Amino acid sequence: WRQLEGLMADGHRPTFKTYTALMTCLGDLGAPSDAQEVLRRMDRAGEAPDVAAYNAAIAAWCVNNRPEEAEALVARMIAASVKPNSATYPEIVGAWARAGQFTRVEAVIARIESEGGIESLGEKVYHAFISGCCDADRPEDAERVLKRWNLEKYDLERIADRKGVISRPVAASYGMVIDHYAREGRMVEARRLLS
């Protein structure tokens, strides 16, 4: 903090990019509470945090496997009239998936849908879900996510809610699971997904 305060005392004004970069670094260093403190300092400095700033602090909590704090910060963000975007929820989904908390993932997905963020429910969220399953060494669960995602094209209510726009798994979606199997030497499973 001394360096930041020293820069400000010398007349340098941090930009939003400075704040978000600092929060990202703090998250990577295992200091998510310090990343959230940056949000408070932004606000006190007269710089109302925007969605990118909140997302950086949310990601800091998630990188440190603390999605419950990230969700609390989302609630605070919404209370501050900052609307979540497509980058807000994937980190939370990934953190809950890494923890094996699939009911919590489902709750986040339901929240996205209830907030009208249907377009945010596409590739980024599902990729975070799949990646989290693989990170937790649960590739079979990742395959179930792929299957569910593929079956959404038959859910007429969901298609109507999305005004006909449906996201589908792409090669990279399968690639995460295939790579996981290949790293484990499970080539039969990897080849099965290739077909």
Side-chain angles (χ1 to χ4, degrees), residues 67-90:
E68 59 281 341
E69 284 90 345
E71 288 196 81
L73 190 52
V74 170
R76 188 174 139 207
M77 175 175 93
I78 292 168
S81 299
V82 178
K83 186 177 179 187
N85 65 14
S86 64
T88 302
Y89 292 107

Side-chain angles (χ1 to χ4, degrees), residues 6-28:
L7 286 170
M8 292 172 74
D10 288 341
H12 299 285
R13 186 172 176 198
T15 64
F16 276 90
K17 194 169 190 167
T18 306
Y19 286 120
T20 56
L22 179 58
M23 286 185 271
T24 300
C25 288
L26 289 166
D28 291 344

Side-chain angles (χ1 to χ4, degrees), residues 156 158-168:
L156 297 179
R158 186 166 280 183
I159 291 171
D161 287 345
R162 294 182 182 180
K163 298 176 180 45
V165 176
I166 286 286
S167 79
R168 293 187 178 98

